[in-house]
Amino acid sequence: MDPYQDRSTPIEDRVDDLLSRMTVTEKVGQLNHRLRGWQAYDKQGEHRYGMSKSLIDEVERWGGIGFVYGLFRADPVSGVTWASGVFPEDCWAIAQEIQAYVTEHSRLHIPVLFSEECPHGHQGLGATIFPSNLGMASSWNPELYSAVFRAVAGELVERGVHLGWVCTLDVLRDPRWGRSEETLGEDPYLAARFTEAAVRGLQGSSTVRPGGVIAVLKHFCAQGAGAGGLNFGPALIGERELREIHLPPMQAGVNAGAHACIAAYNEIDGVPCSANPHLLKDILRDEWGFEGIVISDAGAIDRLEGLTGSLPSAAVLALESGVDVSLWNESLLYLENALANGDVAEVVLDKAVRRILRLKFALGLFDERPSSASSHAFAFGQHSARLTNLEMARQAVVLLKNDHRVLPLSTRGQKIAVVGPNGNSVYNQLGDYTPPQKAGETITVVQGLRERLGADSVVMFARGCGIRDQSTDGFAQALSIAEEADVIIAVVGGSSARNFGRKSEDDGDAELSVDPDDMDAGEGVDVADLALGGKQEALIQTLVNTGKPVVAVLIQGRPHAIPTVVDQCAAVVCAWYPGQQGGRAIAEILLGDVAPSGRLPVSIPRSSAQLPVYYNGKDTGSGGLNYRDQPRRPLYPFGFGLTYTNFSYGPVQIEPDEISCADLMDGRRIIGSSMIRNSGSRPGIAVAQLYVTREFSSVTHRVCELKGFQRLGLAAGQEARVRFELGKEDLAIWGTESRWTIEPSVLRIGIGPDSATQEVTRLTVRR
């Protein structure tokens, strides 16, 4: 037995021994994430699969392979459907079969890692699909987010997957970006807390464990700041903006124990992230101590040919800049020649291979013989995952307006007209990176209301119009049912639904068909205008003209500019993409079974012309800049959300109210607190938010910055004190000497329900 095969030998020694035995070809093969996983098998019949020639050729070419990405991916991009893909109950077996083949056909018996997309649930057949990230961030509940990813990890482990790709790093600065739905909003502090939670949920700990899942965080870094809101757009930012806004989520992920990340497509100040040693080496590894792997995004290394002039030199540039693993890049094929020509030192290659092998040993892959499916317990679609999904869908809903307390609706004897393109559409409710759905997997708003109300009320539905098309042919039917109804629910918004190839299938009257021309969000689908598309606003106007109360429910992947909708409708509910349980959760909230508790993780603009509109922009010192033709303030501020009761916030108390820079640097903490009272007649959830504003500093400061939040359940008339701690990590600034520092200043410490409404006191930080 060689030392690397002895499980009693320390991992680093096993890595050293194995690396010393590998050829250059085998080493380059470990960087290989080139094979599209859905091309690794051939479906030969129901529950029958075989390994494809593509897989066999790839293993032979490299003497093994490092990774298989997307083995179980199913969506319009891969073209995998229920007819052609791997059934959930067969995943473990096919993964073990491929693992056995790769290991046996590797000279040194090196196993392969399986990685899968799971931004809001695994992108595989039969997986639990949760609300999109913007929705989950609206819960302001990182512990629930962690529970979501514990459920995701359970499903990945059942399928034999080792790495789960999750979107937590993109801080949203321009909602025209099609991938807005994948972000956790516009604030770095909120995104950092949720990133920690995702890592805890997926990995279970900061240590890689046999049989576990590794969190792969994406995208590093600043992809949410693309110029013009365009996908792949350059991030026109400097070091200070990078440090203050875009790096905190990844740093939090590293501190929580993440072992992998994806280098983003975009450039920062002229340097693509896959070719940025300052980002990937100086900051990520040297400053933060990250020891995991950095993976290129799909084809990102090949794009570096525009910098280097050739694919071989593009591969060398990425490797020397800190990228360890190549996803779908042809440039990797030339790396052997580059090493032979002396264009890159083998020690650089060895560093990347070492990190990959370390993960494989830590996961126990060298010490476990691939097992048969018959010995593997399968419990997919477990009840607890569905309950977690429903609870997250509930907490993701944000109530924006509720005039005359039109909500909650009566649960008896009502005629309800549900109108709009998202009222009964399965795929419009799920967002991008979604696998094909079977009948019964997703509950729409229409189904949720009918399920809850039963025979007590009549729920009618008319689509009315599409998301983007200009037809008004459906208005007549919509108006007909609206005139019969006591209340109208207009379910409008956007769609990230791609073409799933269905023509006319339905799910108990729910639409499983997809019109790809309706897609106005998702990866690669950016917009210039944030107004609702097509004839949706005209449809709402038609409904309002009936004189009946209209409740607007927004199902969407980005914050749309909706001033007209808000002006016309009696109530407005923002549900983002609420996932498979979304229709049930929305029905519960509309009918008062559950009180809304979501808060906005992103500002809602009045118009596209207002951008940028994020709350934590720079204080100009002029008392605020305004436009001549409309207010500068957003339509709804970051952190905003109503419920079915009212909360009052008492004065803010801090202890101490004066502190020295030295004491803060030594670890002394500031305690801030406020009494919150439920002054309404119903129980509810308050989301107390703490903000810090500087009155002066050596560099320009922000209007305010979130530094803490708490969810607090209070019965009617109940009050409780919320308590926050602030330390040097919360009060430091990126100073003129390009380092984090504590400066003398006067700080306003505010606690309140949102970024625009706070009770404030002052803290003096003296020299």
Side-chain angles (χ1 to χ4, degrees), residues 18-23 26-27 30 107-108 110 357:
L18 178 55
L19 193 60
S20 70
R21 300 171 188 272
M22 295 173 69
T23 66
E26 289 167 336
K27 291 177 182 178
Q30 287 304 297
R107 180 178 64 88
L108 297 168
I110 302 175
L357 296 178

Side-chain angles (χ1 to χ4, degrees), residues 615-619 690-697 700-707 726 730-731 733 745-751 754-756 758-765:
Y615 88 98
N616 51 3
K618 289 299 186 75
D619 187 341
L690 181 143
Y691 294 89
V692 174
T693 303
R694 300 177 190 279
E695 295 195 353
F696 56 87
S697 62
T700 57
H701 46 273
R702 300 184 183 277
V703 173
C704 65
E705 298 175 82
L706 180 71
K707 295 298 181 182
L726 292 169
D730 302 301
L731 303 181
I733 67 169
S745 185
V746 175
L747 308 178
R748 294 196 297 273
I749 310 298
I751 299 176
D754 59 63
S755 60
Q758 304 156 33
E759 293 290 324
V760 175
T761 191
R762 281 175 167 77
L763 168 68
T764 299
V765 179

Side-chain angles (χ1 to χ4, degrees), residues 536-556:
Q536 294 184 84
E537 289 194 8
L539 176 64
I540 289 175
Q541 180 66 67
T542 300
L543 300 175
V544 169
N545 289 343
T546 65
K548 309 288 180 68
V550 177
V551 176
V553 176
L554 295 158
I555 291 180
Q556 56 188 359

Side-chain angles (χ1 to χ4, degrees), residues 37-49:
W38 56 89
Q39 298 173 345
Y41 63 89
D42 294 320
K43 192 165 186 177
Q44 301 168 342
E46 191 159 334
H47 305 295
R48 292 176 55 241
Y49 312 86

Side-chain angles (χ1 to χ4, degrees), residues 674-691:
S674 176
M675 189 68 75
I676 303 178
R677 178 178 176 80
N678 182 343
S679 53
S681 59
R682 296 173 61 110
I685 304 291
V687 181
Q689 302 161 38
L690 181 143
Y691 294 89

